[in-house]
Amino acid sequence: MLRHLWLFCLCALHVACSGDEHREAESERSMPAEAPQASAPQQGVHDAPGSETRSSAQASMDPYTERRRLMGTVFMIRAEADPKIARPAVAKAFAEMERIEFLLSEWRPGSEISRINAAAGLHPVHVSEETFTVVKSGVEMSALTDGAFDLSWAALHGLYDFRPGLERVPSRDEIRRQLRFIDFRRIALDEKERTVYLKQRGMKLGTGAIGKGYALDRAGQILRAAGIRSYMLFGGGQVQVYGMRGDRPYRVGIQHPRLPDKHIGYFESSGGSISTSGDYERALIGPDGDRIHHILDPRTGLPSKASISVTLHSSSGLYADALSTAAFVLGPERALALLQSLDADVSAVIVGPDCRVHTTPGTFEAAHLEGSVDENGLLVGCKP
Ligand code: ADP
Ligand code: MG
């Protein structure tokens, strides 16, 4: 099953392009050319000065850069290509991600996911091949992680609100009432009819830990098909890179979970996705000083305390997205066991709840973490 799960991401899904509103072209000068953090604070893309420097090979050509607000965050595409080629390709890539948002977002009333949610406990819903494949992938990820990642987590939707001024934290009772609706085993998929059925009224799918990564995969496919040989895509806490930055791979900084402008190391990649799940994004401090954040443990309905942050590199955006969330909830030991059992090349840096740094084999050196970890294996400057 693992092989099957992994291969799914290589499937080419259909391309359709839609409107082109909210365009906001950006010059390279207003967006530093340096390594982005694999994790962006709150609701924005954030470039950090640091490890990425420009080589002489690139000095002659400025990358073409555009930003747009999508999926509740800011996305940015930076393509190393002539603007004549880059501009239409980037517009098409953004349109594709907008299309995916309209298909997969549980926040959009007309989306296919919303239709599935509205029919919970009533009837199966026929969906597009694309939605079916993403949902199937999410269900497989749920099974693989024994429910640490659960596509039906969204029965908790609306209980937490992290928006400034609108903060909301649910009572234990409210959470308890909703927990019985979370169970990926009660998501029924019918391949032949291509339907999804949530077996109980009150169940809800939420694609927040999988849709963004999938959208980045699709955007990358479009850029490559347009002949772009080198690009960087940013979407919230995730970065996707392809090709070379001059004469070497891209470098993507690993965000320090407690020091906003500091990197603890970086991943080098010429084709892959780097995703971060951290307890400092979409978070607030509760009445008793507790850190309340958006990565929830589906067994308790409470923000997971199993990790402080996970930064993970994978060839697939969808799996980088989902696995970083899953690894966070699993905690370092179980996450590393799972990641190493996968039939795929996944590297991860996990900061445990006690600030201890855990890595997949070879990643400590490859991600240049030496200077950030003390003699006891703890992240320097980290507080639980
Ligand atoms: P980000 O959205 O900042 O990239 P993550 O990739 O870690 O962060 O995804 C967190 C989002 O995933 C949450 O905002 C929510 O939409 C959803 N989510 C939270 N907990 C779970 C879970 N246990 N399983 C699946 N999805 C989850
Ligand atoms: Mg993610």
Side-chain angles (χ1 to χ4, degrees):
M1 185 190 93
L2 291 189
R3 183 178 294 273
H4 164 72
L5 179 76
W6 199 257
L7 283 179
F8 148 70
C9 65
L10 301 174
C11 294
L13 292 163
H14 78 274
V15 183
C17 296
S18 58
D20 189 21
E21 61 276 347
H22 324 303
R23 228 190 93 206
E24 181 197 316
E26 272 250 336
S27 80
E28 172 64 9
R29 253 166 288 290
S30 62
M31 192 61 81
E34 321 313 336
Q37 297 166 172
S39 174
Q42 299 281 1
Q43 297 290 310
V45 168
H46 185 88
D47 255 0
S51 38
E52 194 70 73
T53 53
R54 308 192 82 201
S55 73
S56 54
Q58 291 167 306
S60 58
M61 184 170 59
D62 275 347
Y64 179 82
T65 305
E66 253 187 72
R67 284 206 270 183
R68 239 183 254 189
R69 183 156 273 282
L70 272 172
M71 301 185 187
T73 186
V74 178
F75 278 64
M76 186 171 92
I77 300 180
R78 190 153 72 195
E80 302 271 350
D82 186 313
K84 281 205 217 55
I85 297 167
R87 193 174 290 113
V90 166
K92 216 169 153 184
F94 272 125
E96 173 69 349
M97 293 195 285
E98 271 163 12
R99 183 187 67 79
I100 291 167
E101 181 177 9
F102 276 97
L103 203 63
L104 297 182
S105 170
E106 71 269 22
W107 295 98
R108 302 226 170 237
S111 74
E112 291 201 320
I113 295 294
S114 293
R115 282 179 40 227
I116 295 168
N117 290 344
L122 298 174
H123 56 82
V125 175
H126 183 75
V127 294
S128 64
E129 209 177 315
E130 190 171 20
T131 298
F132 190 85
T133 313
V134 172
V135 169
K136 186 172 168 210
S137 219
V139 172
E140 286 173 347
M141 182 60 70
S142 307
L144 183 69
T145 61
D146 204 18
F149 174 102
D150 193 319
L151 196 63
S152 68
W153 77 272
L156 298 167
H157 237 252
L159 292 194
Y160 294 89
D161 202 328
F162 302 102
R163 288 173 295 175
L166 298 169
E167 292 89 347
R168 182 181 198 284
V169 179
S171 68
R172 295 283 165 128
D173 269 356
E174 281 180 284
I175 294 173
R176 208 169 303 122
R177 276 199 293 277
Q178 292 307 106
L179 277 185
R180 62 202 159 104
F181 301 122
I182 303 178
D183 184 1
F184 68 90
R185 294 169 201 84
R186 283 182 283 155
I187 305 170
L189 302 178
D190 184 331
E191 297 254 7
K192 230 168 94 224
E193 300 294 324
R194 222 205 288 140
T195 59
V196 182
Y197 177 42
L198 306 182
K199 291 185 178 173
Q200 195 183 353
R201 190 103 192 111
M203 282 182 76
K204 239 178 169 190
L205 301 184
T207 56
I210 195 166
K212 183 153 44 97
Y214 171 65
L216 289 170
D217 283 336
R218 290 291 309 129
Q221 279 171 20
I222 286 174
L223 297 180
R224 293 197 300 279
I228 293 173
R229 300 267 165 270
S230 173
Y231 61 77
M232 201 164 204
L233 308 175
F234 309 67
Q238 194 158 349
V239 179
Q240 202 122 325
V241 295
Y242 179 76
M244 300 291 276
R245 185 102 172 115
D247 49 12
R248 61 153 174 78
Y250 278 95
R251 290 177 183 169
V252 178
I254 301 168
Q255 165 71 50
H256 191 299
R258 295 289 177 261
L259 304 173
D261 290 322
K262 192 170 161 48
H263 294 162
I264 65 173
Y266 59 87
F267 277 111
E268 272 197 318
S269 179
S270 54
S273 202
I274 296 100
S275 169
T276 291
S277 294
D279 71 2
Y280 52 91
E281 289 178 72
R282 268 180 275 158
L284 50 94
I285 302 298
D288 41 8
D290 252 26
R291 191 179 281 272
I292 298 169
H293 62 90
H294 70 135
I295 303 167
L296 304 175
D297 185 334
R299 287 164 309 180
T300 61
L302 299 171
S304 170
K305 290 186 187 304
S307 308
I308 285 179
S309 74
V310 177
T311 303
L312 186 145
H313 178 276
S314 155
S315 57
S316 147
L318 183 148
Y319 286 104
D321 195 1
L323 280 173
S324 68
T325 308
F328 188 103
V329 178
L330 286 169
E333 286 81 15
R334 290 174 68 205
L336 288 180
L338 170 71
L339 297 177
Q340 285 169 66
S341 76
L342 291 176
D343 187 18
D345 195 13
V346 177
S347 315
V349 177
I350 303 175
V351 182
D354 52 358
C355 291
R356 188 166 299 281
V357 176
H358 305 255
T359 55
T360 44
T363 304
F364 190 89
E365 299 74 23
H368 309 274
L369 296 169
E370 306 80 32
S372 300
V373 179
D374 71 16
E375 61 284 4
N376 299 314
L378 302 177
L379 180 64
V380 175
C382 176
K383 285 198 192 82

